[in-house]
Amino acid sequence: MSPGSSPHDPLGIPGFSFADLHQPARLKDLYIRFSEEVKQADADLWSQWTQYRDTPEAVGNVAKSNLIIGMAPHLSRFITRLFSIGPDAEAMVAATRVYDDLFRFKIDFVRRRALPLLKSASSASSAARVEATAADHALVEGLMEGDGFSLMEGDGFSRRQAGAEAPALQALELAIARFGCELLDREATDKAAVAEQIESLKRWCAAHLHDPRYKNWVVFRFPETLDFAKLVRVQHPNAAMPEILTGPDDKLRRREGFKLTDRRYSDREVLSEIHYCVLCHERDKDTCSKGITDKEGRLAKNPLGIPLPGCPLDEKISEMHTLRKRGDAIGALAIVTVDNPMVPGTGHRICNDCMKGCIYQKQEPVNIPQVETGVLTDVLEMPWGVEIYGLLTRWNPLNIKRPYALPFNGRTVLVVGLGPAGYTLSHYLLNEGFGVVAIDGLKIEPLADDIVGTPERGARPAAPPRPIREWAEIYRPLDARVLEGFGGVSEYGITVRWDKNFLTLIHLTLARRNKLKIYGGVRFGGALPIEEVWGHGIDHVAIATGAGRPTIIDIKNNLIRGIRKASDFLMALQLTGAFKADALSNLQARLPAVVIGGGLTGIDTATELMAYYPLQVEKTLERYEALSRDLGEGRVRGMMDPEEQGVLDEFLAHGRAVRDERKRAAAAGEKANFIALVRSWGGVTLAYRKRLQDAPAYRLNHEEVALALEEGIAFAENMNPVEAVPDEFGAVKAMIFTRSGPNGEEHVEIPARTVLVAAGTVPNITYEKEHPGSFALDEKMKFFQGF
């Protein structure tokens, strides 16, 4: 295939076209072709594989892992030929091998030689440190001769242009690693000849191991011991209010707007995590996947009391690492999609059960979500990567239960809700041969016909989707991306810490399925009562509406202006496009702001409000100036009552401060510091009724707490809300909390012009509430009865 290919052009496997990859009958043919080729290439492997496929219970876990790892390269090579991307696959293998010296040097030299030198110096004196000599510096500088900067103490990198140092530093890291490995090889035959150079390099590494200039070097990155009571670094900025916690000043990140805030690990960082993994599947100890149990076989818990079941999907993580360590990203992704076909919706900044179940329990675990998302991204960035991922969701010979999607079986299921549960269920139903009609209350923007394909309509024949060669064809910056409405909570409830282009990928992958129809803006029970469902030929209804009903907390004046539910704020922010500079929206927030709750929704709400406020006041200033030019300032102000004029003046003053900070930062060649401004106006505080260590966000995903504090929010612990205090206009001006003081329980008042409540959610059983007797509920009458 080539750029602009027709769906009917031939693929790299003779007899197949791109359009065939969307037809169940042709997927079966493709599976037969693959099976024949493997049988011919490796008869012994194929014999073992068929035994595993026919009687999986007869194959042990280690043997099963070995079979999967043995079969994955055959599948990878087959897909590589199918899409004619041999050079790209070979380039990835070569790029992976480039780093072999890096990780050998890290273990055999830095960890085993330089680290002990540092530890011995520390044990001798608390103030001691290893000093590198001029000869040591000269040795290292020689490796980057002519690059344009010196690494001598105090010289730094000031002479290099901003942003240009990272590639040079990475090149230096690799050059040092290669040189170190050469010294180790030479040492094996002539120790005396290289002894002086080894000592110099050892001293240099020990002296610079904690140098902030090299903080991104993977050879200097070693796991820290875990202290579960101090998983998040905090400081106490207000002696009068010791309950207020903020992140360390040296960790603050200047965020501007709603672009992607976390671009994930680089290739070398992903590979570093894989090399850190001990590949436990080889001993059936892959607890990241299978969970940790005690001697009695019961599920173990960590010191925070969190159970450690491992990946809830039983994803074959260690096996994935093995393939990616070899440079085979396609084989690694094929392994992932057996158990986790909707992998774009998981991974980095989404789920971390695998990390909690990692075999490393006393030190930092392997960052498996980064690896998983890295593997997906590796494939997506290959030519036809979008198509390779999509194919693996419909056709995957590693999946012995369902290696290819079945043809339509005549039965249709209505899936209510298109969040993670709904879209995942839709995928599995489609692969089993069911037709699926999926509805969601949110308006869902349709994708372009050319990339989705169109069904047969009257005299117009069906048109298969146009193949997408480059991931960039559908990738959009998050602050410019169209809000599709697809994905439910993934679309509106998750911040730009996560790349929502992955949600577009899932949407596209499912929208291309012939037996799936998606309808947005349909409220089940309102626009579509269940009595009408059966009349449309539906055979079964699956409700996947999630836990979307906010919990109401008992506080006085909880309905006054300025108080709203956190989920309502996030929906308004995301689905109205309020976060876009050119969007007209009535979403208004004032500072100081308090978010009530201790979960991830509270974390997300606080960070998004922190980022939204500068944008909001800047937009207010720009539009006020434009209206004043057109209508006259007096007329504009005359449209408002005294309260509105006061809020306007507040926003205008803040907007001018934001504008001035942008100018200052541009002149200084740095990012604007909105954290200082927002804090000076009262800031955003997340208030929780217990300690930080008791908060669900800390116990389940402390990394998110740490990253949120880096964006400048504050955390107020031991704050139990009891009353909202109104101002003279009836809007909230403060929150009263109770806290435990030296004289027992006491009241404390925290200023708050915006209060967002993120006190958790309960299952959405609205239909049964509105139409009693339609569905069976569980014993507690809180959930739909599952089947």
Side-chain angles (χ1 to χ4, degrees):
M1 296 192 300
S2 58
S5 294
S6 161
H8 303 290
D9 287 347
L11 291 169
I13 303 293
F16 292 91
S17 68
F18 174 83
D20 292 331
L21 304 184
H22 294 271
Q23 301 298 324
R26 297 296 284 144
L27 291 177
K28 180 179 179 179
D29 294 339
L30 191 66
Y31 174 72
I32 292 172
R33 176 73 64 85
F34 170 77
S35 302
E36 291 171 345
E37 290 193 5
V38 175
K39 184 177 181 180
Q40 184 175 2
D42 193 336
D44 184 53
L45 174 63
W46 183 250
S47 175
Q48 295 178 56
W49 184 263
T50 53
Q51 180 186 358
Y52 161 52
R53 182 190 61 195
D54 297 340
T55 56
E57 66 280 359
V59 180
N61 287 335
V62 174
K64 185 186 302 182
S65 295
N66 291 335
L67 282 171
I68 291 169
I69 289 171
M71 186 60 71
H74 287 278
L75 178 55
S76 178
R77 288 190 290 270
F78 188 86
I79 290 175
T80 297
R81 284 171 43 226
L82 183 69
F83 290 96
S84 302
I85 55 170
D88 302 278
E90 291 169 3
M92 179 163 289
V93 173
T96 302
R97 294 284 70 80
V98 163
Y99 296 122
D100 285 351
D101 283 342
L102 207 62
F103 302 114
R104 180 192 171 197
F105 177 73
K106 177 178 182 176
I107 301 302
D108 292 348
F109 196 97
V110 181
R111 190 179 76 177
R112 294 177 181 166
R113 303 196 184 206
L115 268 181
L117 192 65
L118 196 63
K119 290 177 180 177
S120 62
S122 299
S123 62
S125 167
S126 60
R129 60 185 296 266
V130 177
E131 298 285 352
T133 67
D136 302 337
H137 286 295
L139 177 73
V140 172
E141 284 188 312
L143 300 176
M144 290 292 284
E145 191 173 337
D147 189 69
F149 65 84
S150 169
L151 294 172
M152 293 296 288
E153 292 291 346
D155 191 70
F157 306 106
S158 58
R159 286 176 288 170
R160 297 187 61 81
Q161 293 182 351
E165 64 191 36
L169 277 172
Q170 289 185 0
L172 175 61
E173 180 187 22
L174 193 53
I176 289 175
R178 286 173 173 163
F179 178 63
C181 290
E182 289 176 9
L183 291 179
L184 292 174
D185 291 337
R186 290 167 58 193
E187 184 186 44
T189 56
D190 192 349
K191 189 173 183 178
V194 295
E196 186 177 343
Q197 288 178 305
I198 284 180
E199 285 301 310
S200 273
L201 185 57
K202 188 168 69 173
R203 275 194 304 271
W204 190 92
C205 289
H208 294 84
L209 198 69
H210 301 299
D211 189 323
R213 291 178 296 178
Y214 309 103
K215 63 182 179 180
N216 293 322
W217 278 20
V218 296
V219 294
F220 286 170
R221 188 181 298 173
F222 291 93
E224 300 286 342
T225 301
L226 291 179
D227 180 347
F228 283 87
K230 298 178 181 178
L231 293 174
V232 176
R233 283 180 59 200
V234 297
Q235 58 188 23
H236 300 265
N238 187 348
M241 280 281 289
E243 295 89 352
I244 302 293
L245 314 175
T246 59
D249 291 338
D250 63 336
K251 286 288 187 179
L252 292 178
R253 286 182 291 113
R254 297 185 183 184
R255 173 179 167 183
E256 184 175 339
F258 290 83
K259 298 182 186 297
L260 181 64
T261 61
D262 189 341
R263 299 205 63 82
R264 305 182 296 277
Y265 276 179
S266 64
D267 286 346
R268 69 169 60 199
E269 289 172 311
V270 167
L271 287 168
S272 179
E273 294 299 313
I274 293 174
H275 278 264
Y276 176 38
C277 174
V278 293
L279 304 179
C280 306
H281 73 273
E282 296 171 347
R283 300 174 306 285
D284 197 19
K285 299 291 184 182
D286 44 339
T287 54
C288 55
S289 178
K290 301 182 175 91
I292 298 177
T293 54
D294 58 23
K295 294 179 179 179
E296 284 74 36
R298 295 171 302 193
L299 203 60
K301 296 181 179 180
N302 69 13
L304 295 174
I306 302 299
L308 304 173
C311 176
L313 302 176
D314 301 322
E315 186 177 305
K316 296 170 183 62
I317 294 164
S318 183
E319 295 88 338
M320 167 187 71
H321 289 179
T322 300
L323 268 291
R324 183 60 187 91
K325 193 174 185 178
R326 298 174 182 173
D328 187 356
I330 294 175
L333 183 61
I335 290 174
V336 171
T337 52
V338 171
D339 304 294
N340 184 12
M342 299 289 100
V343 60
T346 63
H348 179 49
R349 302 301 293 270
I350 297 294
C351 54
N352 70 344
D353 288 355
C354 52
M355 285 179 71
K356 291 197 175 300
C358 179
I359 197 169
Y360 296 120
Q361 287 292 300
K362 295 183 179 181
Q363 63 190 46
E364 291 176 310
V366 179
N367 198 321
I368 298 162
Q370 286 274 18
V371 179
E372 180 189 90
T373 303
V375 164
L376 172 66
T377 306
D378 286 337
V379 174
L380 291 176
E381 291 178 350
M382 287 181 165
W384 313 110
V386 172
E387 306 303 338
I388 293 171
Y389 162 71
L391 175 63
L392 287 172
T393 67
R394 305 183 299 273
W395 179 89
N396 188 343
L398 299 185
N399 187 344
I400 59 171
K401 295 179 181 177
R402 183 62 60 223
Y404 51 85
L406 300 179
F408 182 49
N409 61 20
R411 298 274 187 170
T412 301
V413 177
L414 175 70
V415 174
V416 181
L418 273 170
Y423 67 62
T424 302
L425 176 62
S426 297
H427 159 79
Y428 279 105
L429 290 171
L430 290 162
N431 276 7
E432 293 300 316
F434 291 93
V436 175
V437 175
I439 63 172
D440 196 278
L442 296 179
K443 180 180 183 292
I444 296 178
E445 295 292 337
L447 299 173
D449 283 350
D450 67 320
I451 61 172
V452 172
T454 55
E456 182 178 346
R457 291 178 184 154
R460 192 179 74 179
R466 172 181 64 80
I468 295 173
R469 188 181 194 279
E470 303 293 341
W471 171 223
E473 292 182 48
I474 60 172
Y475 191 95
R476 298 292 180 270
L478 292 192
D479 59 350
R481 174 178 168 270
V482 172
L483 281 302
E484 298 165 15
F486 177 90
V489 68
S490 295
E491 179 70 277
Y492 70 79
I494 298 176
T495 69
V496 289
R497 60 183 165 83
W498 179 60
D499 194 340
K500 294 185 183 179
N501 283 285
F502 290 141
L503 198 56
T504 300
L505 179 62
I506 295 173
H507 186 186
L508 172 69
T509 300
L510 290 175
R512 287 174 155 188
R513 303 296 291 266
N514 292 332
K515 294 301 178 181
L516 171 67
K517 298 296 180 186
I518 295 174
Y519 298 97
V522 179
R523 183 176 180 272
F524 185 56
L528 183 64
I530 196 167
E531 292 78 12
E532 292 185 14
V533 168
W534 313 124
H536 288 291
I538 300 296
D539 298 288
H540 183 82
V541 176
I543 297 181
T545 48
R549 197 156 59 89
T551 299
I552 307 298
I553 60 174
D554 185 19
I555 59 173
K556 185 179 179 180
N557 299 327
N558 67 357
L559 293 179
I560 62 176
R561 280 185 295 114
I563 301 179
R564 66 195 303 176
K565 299 294 177 284
S567 56
D568 178 45
F569 170 79
L570 289 173
M571 289 185 73
L573 177 69
Q574 297 291 336
L575 298 181
T576 67
F579 65 89
K580 296 184 177 182
D582 59 351
L584 291 172
S585 171
N586 64 355
L587 178 61
Q588 178 177 297
R590 297 177 67 190
L591 296 180
V594 171
V595 180
I596 298 174
L600 290 176
T601 298
I603 290 287
D604 282 348
T605 303
T607 55
E608 295 307 87
L609 179 54
M610 188 94 181
Y612 176 64
Y613 188 80
L615 178 68
Q616 172 195 253
V617 295
E618 196 171 30
K619 288 200 296 184
T620 300
L621 175 61
E622 291 170 355
R623 284 161 192 170
Y624 177 77
E625 291 173 337
L627 284 171
S628 296
R629 286 193 300 269
D630 292 344
L631 303 177
E633 189 171 8
R635 183 178 175 187
V636 173
R637 298 187 69 86
M639 299 176 185
M640 305 176 191
D641 62 29
E643 180 189 12
E644 291 169 332
Q645 289 187 20
V647 174
L648 173 64
D649 289 339
E650 178 182 299
F651 285 1
L652 294 179
H654 293 175
R656 293 186 185 102
V658 168
R659 180 181 288 175
D660 291 343
E661 172 58 19
R662 286 194 190 279
K663 291 179 181 177
R664 183 208 64 80
E670 63 184 45
K671 285 186 176 181
N673 183 8
F674 296 135
I675 294 176
L677 284 180
V678 172
R679 283 179 169 177
S680 71
W681 299 325
V684 179
T685 301
L686 183 63
Y688 184 57
R689 57 191 174 88
K690 297 182 182 180
R691 300 180 312 150
L692 171 63
Q693 289 84 350
D694 299 319
Y698 181 96
R699 297 172 71 240
L700 296 172
N701 202 328
H702 70 275
E703 294 93 347
E704 292 299 331
V705 179
L707 289 165
L709 291 176
E710 289 177 11
E711 292 193 19
I713 72 165
F715 189 99
E717 54 184 9
N718 298 316
M719 293 289 169
N720 193 33
V722 293
E723 182 180 350
V725 181
D727 64 9
E728 67 271 26
F729 300 108
V732 66
K733 71 173 184 179
M735 282 296 303
I736 295 177
F737 297 87
T738 60
R739 66 174 178 181
S740 296
N743 300 316
E745 191 174 87
E746 59 186 28
H747 285 77
V748 58
E749 185 173 302
I750 296 180
R753 286 296 186 176
T754 298
V755 177
L756 302 175
V757 181
T761 57
V762 294
N764 186 350
I765 55 171
T766 303
Y767 194 104
E768 178 59 21
K769 296 281 188 181
E770 295 178 351
H771 306 277
S774 298
F775 293 95
L777 300 180
D778 69 341
E779 293 179 357
K780 296 183 179 181
M781 307 297 286
K782 291 185 176 181
F783 295 84
F784 286 119
Q785 180 65 54
F787 295 93

